[in-house]
Amino acid sequence: MRKISGLTLALLAAATFASATADAKECFKKASLGSSPLGETNAKFLADESLLQQTDMGVFMVWMTGGGTPGYSFGPRKYHCTQDGVMSTCHAQATICKM
């Protein structure tokens, strides 16, 4: 049976930890509000904007140009929308993961 040195064991443990950390995603929940006199669709869009602005302004700016959300998984959103006269208001919630 071959004996493993302490240094080899320490390096192996460090490599294992590093790969486990690199594969892990950091996920968090965010909530926001969007209101618009232009209808529910626009209120949802404004709520999505707010979710991304709270997360990372750089990613928000890329998303606004149609470039997606690099480095983040911007999963499905849940909305609760109400109408008050001409104003549509949507509360949004999403789980966002940093890749």
Side-chain angles (χ1 to χ4, degrees):
M1 183 176 196
R2 186 175 170 172
K3 189 172 183 178
I4 299 175
S5 74
L7 179 59
T8 303
L9 189 58
L11 290 173
L12 182 60
T16 302
F17 177 75
S19 68
T21 304
D23 292 340
K25 292 186 216 177
E26 177 189 346
C27 296
F28 43 91
K29 287 193 181 273
K30 292 278 186 183
S32 67
L33 176 73
S35 294
S36 174
L38 301 175
E40 186 176 300
T41 300
N42 199 47
K44 286 179 179 180
F45 179 80
L46 293 172
D48 286 349
E49 279 187 334
S50 180
L51 287 169
L52 287 172
Q53 288 170 352
Q54 294 173 53
T55 302
D56 184 315
M57 282 301 290
V59 168
F60 163 71
M61 288 187 230
V62 172
W63 178 76
M64 287 296 291
T65 65
T69 55
Y72 289 90
S73 167
F74 186 41
R77 272 83 67 204
K78 294 179 185 174
Y79 301 101
H80 174 70
C81 300
T82 58
Q83 187 76 30
D84 183 19
V86 298
M87 201 64 130
S88 293
T89 300
C90 292
H91 296 262
Q93 183 178 18
T95 298
I96 301 170
C97 297
K98 185 168 177 80
M99 308 306 269

